[in-house]
Amino acid sequence: QVQLVESGGGLVQLGGSLRISCAASGIIYSIHTMAWYRQTPGKERELIARITGDDDTNYADSVKGRFTISRDSAKKTVSLQMDSLKPEDTAVYYCNADIQKNIYAPRLNYWGKGTLVTVSS
């Protein structure tokens, strides 16, 4: 059973920084694209940062220049460094990854359960 588990969420003040991480576990042959999404009540989940297996990254305009996504393929983790945080960054942040369980298996998409980030003004 493949699992993605986020950690590092919490309360931070306006302009502060926070780093959240996600660890994949289970039977895993290869992890391809990993990403972070966020969601606030009443809104759709939005993609904010993505990193490919070749470490190519892209970001939503709303976080570009403030957030940095990185991965450690050996440790099967992906992190999101969030700087210059704003109250509108308050959301539940979800980890997402495309994972192969073995060389013959298709890539399947997995989600973590989310971690809450709250930015106070």
Coordinates of all heavy atoms in Angstrom, one line a residue, residues 1-4 23-31 76 99-102:
Q1 N 0.8 -1.2 0.0 CA 0.0 0.0 0.0 C 0.9 1.2 0.0 O 1.7 1.4 0.9 CB -0.9 0.0 1.3 CG -1.8 1.2 1.4 CD -3.2 0.9 1.0 OE1 -3.5 -0.3 0.8 NE2 -4.1 1.9 0.9
V2 N 0.7 2.1 -1.0 CA 1.5 3.3 -1.1 C 0.8 4.4 -0.3 O -0.4 4.5 -0.3 CB 1.6 3.8 -2.6 CG1 2.3 5.1 -2.6 CG2 2.4 2.7 -3.3
Q3 N 1.6 5.1 0.5 CA 1.0 6.2 1.3 C 1.9 7.5 1.1 O 3.1 7.4 1.0 CB 1.0 5.9 2.8 CG -0.1 4.9 3.2 CD -0.3 4.8 4.7 OE1 0.7 4.7 5.4 NE2 -1.5 4.9 5.2
L4 N 1.2 8.6 1.1 CA 1.9 9.9 1.2 C 1.5 10.6 2.5 O 0.3 10.7 2.7 CB 1.5 10.8 0.0 CG 1.8 10.3 -1.4 CD1 1.3 11.2 -2.5 CD2 3.3 10.1 -1.6
A23 N 6.4 12.5 2.7 CA 7.1 11.3 2.5 C 6.3 10.2 2.0 O 5.2 9.9 2.4 CB 7.7 10.8 3.9
A24 N 6.8 9.5 1.0 CA 6.1 8.4 0.3 C 6.6 7.1 1.0 O 7.8 6.9 1.2 CB 6.4 8.3 -1.2
S25 N 5.7 6.1 1.2 CA 6.1 4.9 1.8 C 5.3 3.7 1.1 O 4.3 4.0 0.5 CB 5.9 4.8 3.3 OG 4.5 5.0 3.6
G26 N 5.8 2.5 1.3 CA 5.1 1.4 0.7 C 6.0 0.7 -0.4 O 7.2 1.1 -0.5
I27 N 5.4 -0.1 -1.2 CA 6.1 -0.8 -2.3 C 6.2 0.2 -3.5 O 5.2 0.5 -4.1 CB 5.4 -2.1 -2.7 CG1 5.4 -3.0 -1.5 CG2 6.1 -2.7 -3.9 CD1 4.6 -4.3 -1.8
I28 N 7.4 0.7 -3.7 CA 7.5 1.8 -4.7 C 8.7 1.4 -5.6 O 9.8 1.2 -5.1 CB 7.7 3.2 -4.1 CG1 6.5 3.6 -3.3 CG2 8.1 4.2 -5.1 CD1 6.7 4.8 -2.5
Y29 N 8.5 1.4 -6.9 CA 9.6 1.2 -7.8 C 10.1 2.5 -8.3 O 11.4 2.7 -8.3 CB 9.1 0.4 -9.0 CG 10.1 0.4 -10.2 CD1 11.2 -0.3 -10.2 CD2 9.8 1.1 -11.4 CE1 12.1 -0.3 -11.2 CE2 10.6 1.2 -12.4 CZ 11.8 0.4 -12.4 OH 12.7 0.5 -13.4
S30 N 9.2 3.5 -8.6 CA 9.7 4.8 -9.1 C 8.6 5.8 -8.8 O 7.4 5.6 -8.9 CB 9.9 4.7 -10.6 OG 10.4 5.9 -11.1
I31 N 9.1 7.0 -8.4 CA 8.2 8.2 -8.2 C 8.5 9.2 -9.3 O 9.7 9.6 -9.5 CB 8.4 8.8 -6.9 CG1 8.2 7.8 -5.7 CG2 7.4 10.0 -6.7 CD1 8.4 8.3 -4.4
K76 N 12.6 9.6 -1.0 CA 11.2 9.5 -1.4 C 10.4 10.6 -0.8 O 9.3 10.4 -0.3 CB 10.5 8.2 -1.2 CG 11.2 7.0 -1.9 CD 10.4 5.7 -1.6 CE 11.1 4.5 -2.4 NZ 12.4 4.2 -1.9
I99 N 3.2 7.4 -9.1 CA 4.1 6.4 -8.6 C 3.9 5.1 -9.3 O 2.7 4.7 -9.6 CB 3.8 6.2 -7.1 CG1 4.2 7.5 -6.3 CG2 4.6 5.0 -6.5 CD1 3.8 7.4 -4.8
Q100 N 5.0 4.4 -9.6 CA 5.0 3.1 -10.2 C 5.3 2.1 -9.1 O 6.4 2.3 -8.4 CB 6.0 2.9 -11.3 CG 5.5 3.1 -12.7 CD 6.6 2.9 -13.7 OE1 7.5 3.7 -13.7 NE2 6.5 1.8 -14.4
K101 N 4.6 1.0 -8.9 CA 4.9 0.0 -7.9 C 5.9 -1.0 -8.3 O 6.7 -1.5 -7.5 CB 3.6 -0.7 -7.4 CG 2.6 0.2 -6.7 CD 1.5 -0.7 -6.1 CE 0.5 0.1 -5.3 NZ -0.6 -0.7 -4.8
N102 N 6.0 -1.2 -9.6 CA 7.0 -2.1 -10.2 C 7.2 -1.7 -11.6 O 6.5 -0.9 -12.2 CB 6.7 -3.6 -10.0 CG 5.4 -3.9 -10.7 OD1 5.4 -3.9 -12.0 ND2 4.4 -4.3 -10.0

